[in-house]
Amino acid sequence: MLSAPDATSIELAKRLNAHARLFEVVSSSPLGASFHEVVLRGDPALAGVPGNDVMVRLVDAKGRNVRRRYSVRSVEEEQGLVTLWIVTSHEGAGAHWAREAKPGDQVDLVGPRGKITLDPLADWYLFAGDTSGLASFYRLAESIESPGRAIFIVEVDDINDALTAPFDEGLGVTGIFIERRGRAYDDPAGLLSGLAAFEMPANEGHAYLFGEFHVIRALGAALSDRGLPEQQQSHKAFWRAGRHNAEHGEPEKDL
Ligand SMILES: Cc1cc2nc3c(=O)[nH]c(=O)nc-3n(C[C@H](O)[C@H](O)[C@H](O)COP(=O)(O)OP(=O)(O)OC[C@H]3O[C@@H](n4cnc5c(N)ncnc54)[C@H](O)[C@@H]3O)c2cc1C
């Protein structure tokens, strides 16, 4: 039984102006075809605001300490419960941890992390990417003030991953799930065709693009070509096809 987060987490949290805390696993259950829903109990302050994530300290297959970042899907402040949706269909330290996590396991978290939050001035919101972005897309969309409009364009490996969320009645929701059908993970063709079919409303919108490194770049460029200014786009590469994320939890950015 640990009694405090690792010294490296405390140091990291100080540097990031965040908190380091031990959390306890409440449950980890399969969700859809490719996810696990992991519920943790601990200090809810680490969940921050919609769009934020937590950094989980793990050990990889070579015994090295690595950190993986997971967006917070939801938080129940009073019970101190924080829920994550983790893609577990590949082999990696994060996927392994989520599949194997047992009630009572302890885990070392740093948070809240992340600079992308909801643009309060937008009239409509586009959320596009792959399933790794779904937790953040839904938590952000749940924080849109009524009446509002949210459009989701998400590529899924399996139609059972087309998870939905119970949104407020005042939110007009359009959801388009695109099946990957064997396309490579760094092939943006599926999501680009979804975007092409999307008629951009005339008033001011904000696009949130989260998912695979190359695909997110291609989606951002396509939206810029269609006239959506940079300041109305928030992009983040969550992972990169064929590579482990780096030790600090982000994909490498070299080409
Ligand atoms: C800010 C931020 C928020 C994030 N939020 C989430 C989240 O809410 N849910 C979530 O699942 N992930 C999220 N991620 C991605 C997550 O941090 C990990 O990168 C991812 O889970 C893979 O970690 P891993 O240790 O399992 O695999 P790694 O060791 O990083 O990679 C192992 C192999 O698996 C492949 N791989 C990695 N991810 C996927 C995937 N999604 N689909 C198919 N192949 C993959 C890699 O290309 C590599 O070949 C987020 C990342 C960032 C930076």
Side-chain angles (χ1 to χ4, degrees), residues 1-250:
M1 207 47 147
L2 300 171
S3 56
D6 190 67
T8 58
S9 302
I10 295 171
E11 179 56 34
L12 179 67
K14 247 191 226 160
R15 217 162 10 96
L16 296 169
N17 198 20
H19 311 289
R21 298 278 188 273
L22 283 183
F23 274 64
E24 189 178 284
V25 174
V26 174
S27 60
S28 173
S29 348
L31 189 67
S34 312
F35 292 94
H36 274 66
E37 178 175 82
V38 178
V39 182
L40 303 172
R41 183 178 286 114
D43 181 354
L46 273 76
V49 296
N52 282 165
D53 59 278
V54 289
M55 250 175 151
V56 184
R57 181 173 164 269
L58 302 168
V59 177
D60 73 6
K62 292 185 177 151
R64 291 175 306 204
N65 283 324
V66 294
R67 296 185 199 268
R68 292 288 181 258
R69 293 176 64 172
Y70 293 106
S71 309
V72 173
R73 168 66 189 93
S74 59
V75 55
E76 289 170 53
E77 304 259 348
E78 273 179 25
Q79 294 111 302
L81 297 179
V82 173
T83 298
L84 313 175
W85 280 2
I86 298 183
V87 179
T88 47
S89 51
H90 58 276
E91 286 307 319
H96 180 78
W97 169 71
R99 282 194 299 261
E100 300 297 321
K102 301 277 178 298
D105 286 357
Q106 286 187 325
V107 61
D108 181 326
L109 257 59
V110 171
R113 294 292 332 270
K115 298 188 190 82
I116 298 178
T117 54
L118 195 82
D119 170 358
L121 299 177
D123 301 301
W124 54 268
Y125 299 84
L126 169 68
F127 300 97
D130 61 44
T131 46
S132 66
L134 215 47
S136 192
F137 292 158
Y138 285 168
R139 188 177 180 213
L140 281 163
E142 283 164 355
S143 70
I144 296 172
E145 245 183 61
S146 284
R149 179 149 184 227
I151 303 106
F152 302 91
I153 304 180
V154 179
E155 188 161 40
V156 294
D157 286 358
D158 185 307
I159 204 61
N160 292 311
D161 291 326
L163 305 176
T164 53
F167 292 110
D168 198 272
E169 274 182 11
L171 187 68
V173 175
T174 307
I176 302 171
F177 286 98
I178 297 164
E179 278 188 86
R180 186 176 301 282
R181 293 183 194 277
R183 271 188 303 277
Y185 282 118
D186 54 2
D187 180 350
L191 281 163
L192 287 177
S193 70
L195 266 195
F198 161 63
E199 212 171 297
M200 202 141 43
N203 45 11
E204 196 158 307
H206 197 114
Y208 293 84
L209 311 174
F210 303 151
E212 199 281 330
F213 176 84
H214 299 94
V215 174
I216 294 310
R217 284 195 169 197
L219 295 186
L223 285 174
S224 297
D225 285 349
R226 289 182 59 185
L228 192 70
E230 283 281 317
Q231 64 273 21
Q232 287 169 238
Q233 299 185 32
S234 299
H235 308 187
K236 182 101 189 151
F238 277 9
W239 61 284
R240 184 163 176 168
R243 296 208 198 173
H244 297 282
N245 271 10
E247 227 171 284
H248 57 67
E250 295 207 21

